[in-house]
Amino acid sequence: MMLDTELRDVVDVIGAHYPGTYTVADAVKTGKKLWSSEDYSTFNDDIGGGCWARILNQNYVNGLMTSTISWNLVASYYEDLPFGKDGLMTAQEPWSGNYLVESPIWITAHTTQFTQPGWSYLQTVGHLKHGGSYVALTDGLGNLTVVIETMTHDHSVCIRPPLPGFNVSAQNATFSLKGSFSTLTVLQVWYSRFDFKTRKPTYFKQLSPIKLSDGSFTLNLNVDEVYTLTTITTGKKGSYPKAPDSKPFPKKYLDDFNVRNPSFTEAPYFADQTGVFEYFINMSDPGDHVFTLRQVVTQRPVTWVADADQTISVIGDHNWQNMTVSCDTYIETANKGGVFVAGRVTKGGGEVRNTKGIFFWVFADGTYKVTNDLRGEIVLTEGLSDTTAGVWYTLTLRIEGVFASGMLNGYPLWNNLMLLGPSKGWAAIGTRAFEPAQYDNFYVEAN
C-alpha cells in the first residue's frame, strides 16, 4: 500500500491477527483505520477474561486499533476439537441445553454497553503510572466513556503472541477532564474485579455514581480490576436463567434427516471438519431416501491449515470407546467415488488431516477398505464389496475393545479385525474426496 496508490485507494481498513496490542509503523503511516481483525482465541476462564480486558484497551493505547474482533464469540463446538472453550462464552451441548456465561462476556460489556460504532477514541489515552491502562471515547455529542483496566501479567496472558513482562500495583489515579467535558459533574460507574485468591470475583457491578470536582475525580485502583465511568445511563447487567445441567452426548442417537423445511442447512450435532454436509431433498429417489444429508463441496478449498483431502463430519463423544455406527450411504461419483463410516476418530479442525480412527470405506469400483487413518494409508484389511455408484448401501461398523467388524446391508463383510488403536474418539461419516454423496438413517450406539 505504501508503494501502490491504486491499492491504497480501495482499502478502507488494515487488519492484523493477534497483534499483541502493537501496530507496525507503516500501517500507521497510511492513515487508514487499524483493526485487530482477529484476536483473543483464549480459554474463557478468568485469565482469558483478563486477557480480553487488557487487549480491549491496549490495542488502542499501544497500537491505535479501533476495533478488536474476538475469535470466537461463542464456543459452540465439541470441546475436544482444537481451541475448546476459546469463545467469550460456552454453549457446546445443544443436546442438554447447558451453557456457561464466562467472565469475558461481562468484560465486553464494560466497553460495548457504553459506546457504539461511530464513537471516537480521544487522544488522551495511555498507561497508568503503576501499570494498567485507560481509554476515553466520545460520540461527539457530549457523551463520554472512560474504561480503565489494571490487569497483572500472569492474570491476562492471551494464547498468542508471547506477553513480555510488566508490573502492576495498587495506586490512586486522578483524572482531569478538559474542554467540553470539564463541566461534567457526575459519571456512572461500573466495576469488575477478578479475585484469583478467594475465587469470589465481582463482574460488571454498578457502583454509586461518582461526583466530579472541577472536572476531576480520583479512583483507588487495585490490581486485576476494570472500571467504566460514563455519562451513559442505560447500562444494565443482563440476567439469564439457570442453565440445564451438563450431560454427555446421548449414547444412543438416530437421525433420519426427515426435515422438509429446515431453518438452517446443518443437521444437529454433526460437526463438519472438511466438506459441507447439508440437508437435501432427493427428488429422484422414489423410495425411502427422499430426505437425506448430502456432502456438497466438490473442490478442496485453499486453506492455511492441515485440512484433509477427504471430507469428514464428526459426531458424539470424544471419549467413546466401544460403539456401533450405522448409516445408509449413496455414492454419486461413478468409478472413483467412495464413502465411509468411522469410529474412534481422534482429531478435527486444523489437525484433521492426521486423524486416526477406524474407517470403514466402500467404493464405486466394487471394493472396500478398512483403515486406521483418514488418509487411507494404514490399511487394516481390504477386499471386494460389489458396491457401485447410484445405489443405497447400509454400512455398519462395530468396535468392541481391540476388535472391529463391518457389515454391508446387514451381512458381514469383514469380522473380528484386530485393531492397533486408537482407544477412543468420535463417530464420523465422510467421502473419499471432495465429491457429492448422500447419507440417511444415521445411528450410533456407544457402551
Side-chain angles (χ1 to χ4, degrees), residues 318-369:
H318 193 254
N319 292 313
W320 278 348
Q321 298 177 349
N322 301 324
M323 68 185 83
T324 297
V325 185
S326 178
C327 192
D328 299 341
T329 61
Y330 185 87
I331 302 169
E332 295 190 32
T333 303
N335 302 320
K336 295 182 179 180
V339 295
F340 68 79
V341 297
R344 294 185 182 175
V345 175
T346 59
K347 295 182 178 180
E351 303 170 346
V352 71
R353 170 178 286 267
N354 299 316
T355 189
K356 296 296 190 292
I358 314 301
F359 294 83
F360 175 21
W361 311 73
V362 294
F363 304 106
D365 64 2
T367 64
Y368 77 90
K369 183 166 64 173

Side-chain angles (χ1 to χ4, degrees), residues 40-45 71-72 74-92 102 159 351 426:
Y40 184 65
S41 290
T42 299
F43 193 76
N44 56 24
D45 57 8
W71 189 94
N72 53 68
V74 182
S76 292
Y77 43 90
Y78 292 117
E79 184 175 344
D80 291 288
L81 289 169
F83 305 103
K85 290 191 173 182
D86 281 13
L88 298 184
M89 64 175 284
T90 302
Q92 63 187 21
E102 309 287 8
I159 191 172
E351 303 170 346
W426 295 290

Side-chain angles (χ1 to χ4, degrees), residues 53-224:
R54 178 176 55 81
I55 66 176
L56 278 178
N57 264 22
Q58 295 194 28
N59 274 347
Y60 184 76
V61 171
N62 298 335
L64 299 177
M65 288 169 277
T66 59
S67 177
T68 297
I69 299 175
S70 168
W71 189 94
N72 53 68
L73 293 181
V74 182
S76 292
Y77 43 90
Y78 292 117
E79 184 175 344
D80 291 288
L81 289 169
F83 305 103
K85 290 191 173 182
D86 281 13
L88 298 184
M89 64 175 284
T90 302
Q92 63 187 21
E93 294 183 7
W95 53 89
S96 73
N98 177 261
Y99 61 91
L100 299 172
V101 180
E102 309 287 8
S103 62
I105 288 292
W106 305 118
I107 296 305
T108 303
H110 273 279
T111 295
T112 58
Q113 284 208 19
F114 310 108
T115 63
Q116 292 291 332
W119 283 48
S120 299
Y121 282 93
L122 301 181
Q123 296 305 305
T124 52
V125 301
H127 292 276
L128 300 169
K129 183 176 181 180
H130 296 290
S133 67
Y134 63 96
V135 294
L137 303 99
T138 182
D139 61 356
L141 302 174
N143 283 308
L144 174 70
T145 291
V146 179
V147 185
I148 303 162
E149 59 82 22
T150 58
M151 295 308 305
T152 55
H153 178 280
D154 292 351
H155 295 158
S156 65
V157 177
C158 302
I159 191 172
R160 65 175 73 85
L163 182 61
F166 60 86
N167 294 314
V168 181
S169 58
Q171 58 194 300
N172 288 326
T174 298
F175 296 82
S176 297
L177 305 183
K178 303 296 184 181
S180 61
F181 298 120
S182 62
T183 58
L184 292 177
T185 58
V186 65
L187 291 173
Q188 308 299 312
V189 182
W190 291 83
Y191 170 74
S192 292
R193 181 180 180 180
F194 296 88
D195 191 331
F196 291 89
K197 292 182 179 179
T198 66
R199 302 292 177 181
K200 295 181 179 179
T202 299
Y203 294 137
F204 203 58
K205 179 180 180 180
Q206 187 170 20
L207 303 182
S208 298
I210 189 170
K211 294 183 179 180
L212 281 63
S213 176
D214 296 326
S216 296
F217 61 91
T218 298
L219 293 178
N220 181 8
L221 303 174
N222 210 325
V223 297
D224 297 332

